[in-house]
Amino acid sequence: MPRALPSLNALLAFEAAARLGSVSRAATELHVTHGAVSRHIRALEEDLRTALFQRQGRGLVLTPAGQRLRDTSTSAFAQLRDTCDELRTGTAHMPFVLGCPVSLLARWMIPRLERLMAELPELDLHLRPQETAFDESLAGLDAAVMAGEPPWPPGWRVHPLAHERIGPVASPAFAKAHRLVRSRPQALHDQALLHTLSRPDAWPSWAESMHLPAKRLKPGQGYPHLYHMIEAAVAGRGVAIAPEPLVADDLASGRLIAPWGFQDIRAQWILATPARISDPRAEPLAAWLKASFADQGQ
């Protein structure tokens, strides 16, 4: 069984005072009071059962025991600081692996990747398709962008990015698009609606937000992925239900229209990172993503 060490705070206080030759200068370096440093040193001497300093006039002189502990502790803390600096530097130069749903990756992240790299030049970002939520498949990622609802599972640090906003979209070339633009949302009761197996609740959630009876909506062609469904809508195959970020560029270019805009639902877009790891690169990335979600279509 390993032998217990004295208090780390006491060792830090002693090492600073011994290295600087002054309790006051040690207190300034450690951002604590003079009294706190003195108390830590007294506690350390009681723990070790030996004097570490002797007073000479107004100054402090190390005892032989204090000299031994100073040499050892200064060397040990210097090695710890050097190792931590190396780890921080190493982390900063390692790729930051970000998981994204395929549809978000293709229709939102990749078109904005050049801007992200220009605005966060020190972030070596590697993108990886990631469809599932909080499970073991996230183990190889530094972070993941996903849509979900709280409460969030333990073990994760969640950075909220934006409310999930969804709405019906169609191509201007869709045969009935001109009628939809001039109609109320109830006009969708007469349409066979495009849907995706990956988001079966999208149409009912939108209908609930619009106070429409979801049972009146008629499912049309289904697609395995959101990306395929949106491409079908762009091709004029019908009306799809889509998250705003994934169609923002198509709306801006006129490839799609959103006759009734977009509605907030309960889900949120988030950036999730493992709570056990504090990676300083996650914060600026989360801030960039949040600002970019708020700036749709730009």
Side-chain angles (χ1 to χ4, degrees):
M1 183 175 179
R3 290 171 290 178
L5 285 170
S7 160
L8 180 59
N9 286 334
L11 286 169
L12 282 167
F14 164 78
E15 189 276 334
R19 173 169 42 84
L20 299 171
S22 167
V23 172
S24 297
R25 287 198 289 270
T28 300
E29 179 178 285
L30 298 174
H31 304 288
V32 297
T33 66
H34 183 287
V37 173
S38 296
R39 286 193 296 274
H40 280 311
I41 292 174
R42 285 198 301 271
L44 182 60
E45 289 178 324
E46 291 174 2
D47 188 352
L48 299 176
R49 301 175 185 175
T50 187
L52 301 172
F53 289 101
Q54 289 179 341
R55 285 201 171 274
Q56 284 190 358
R58 295 185 178 181
L60 291 176
V61 176
L62 288 165
T63 65
Q67 291 174 4
R68 286 185 60 195
L69 186 59
R70 176 201 58 192
D71 294 344
T72 301
S73 61
T74 297
S75 174
F77 283 126
Q79 290 183 53
L80 281 171
R81 293 185 185 100
D82 289 345
T83 300
C84 289
D85 286 343
E86 290 172 4
L87 291 174
R88 290 189 188 103
T89 303
T91 298
H93 289 87
M94 289 175 61
F96 189 90
V97 184
L98 178 67
C100 285
V102 172
S103 300
L104 184 74
L105 186 62
R107 300 189 62 84
W108 195 85
M109 282 294 299
I110 290 177
R112 288 161 177 78
L113 193 55
E114 185 174 354
R115 192 175 81 189
L116 187 157
M117 293 171 64
E119 296 179 4
L120 298 178
E122 296 181 357
L123 182 65
D124 183 10
L125 186 66
H126 287 205
L127 298 172
R128 180 183 298 176
Q130 174 66 38
E131 294 294 341
T132 56
F134 298 95
D135 61 22
E136 65 279 358
S137 64
L138 299 182
L141 303 177
D142 294 302
V145 178
M146 62 183 74
E149 297 181 28
W152 311 112
W156 295 91
R157 184 179 293 107
V158 170
H159 308 262
L161 303 176
H163 286 289
E164 173 83 293
R165 289 170 54 81
I166 62 175
V169 295
S171 167
F174 177 53
K176 300 178 182 178
H178 65 286
R179 285 173 44 197
L180 295 177
V181 172
R182 299 193 300 268
S183 302
R184 295 169 62 83
Q186 286 81 353
L188 290 179
H189 293 161
D190 299 325
Q191 303 291 324
L193 304 174
L194 305 182
H195 60 97
T196 174
L197 303 179
S198 63
R199 290 198 174 192
D201 297 329
W203 276 113
S205 295
W206 176 81
E208 179 184 344
S209 72
M210 297 292 287
H211 307 291
L212 298 175
K215 62 183 179 181
R216 292 285 304 278
L217 300 178
K218 295 186 298 184
Q221 179 66 50
Y223 295 87
H225 295 290
L226 190 57
Y227 176 81
H228 301 141
M229 179 192 65
I230 296 174
E231 287 300 315
V234 170
R237 302 293 297 173
V239 183
I241 184 74
E244 186 178 15
L246 273 62
V247 293
D249 295 340
D250 299 288
L251 295 170
S253 67
R255 295 209 310 162
L256 288 175
I257 58 172
W260 304 286
F262 297 85
Q263 298 293 318
D264 288 352
I265 58 174
R266 288 187 294 271
Q268 300 176 40
W269 286 101
I270 62 169
L271 179 73
T273 59
R276 70 182 186 280
I277 302 172
S278 181
D279 193 321
R281 297 173 294 176
E283 292 290 344
L285 176 60
W288 188 93
L289 290 169
K290 186 173 183 177
S292 298
F293 268 108
D295 191 23
Q296 301 297 345
Q298 299 302 309

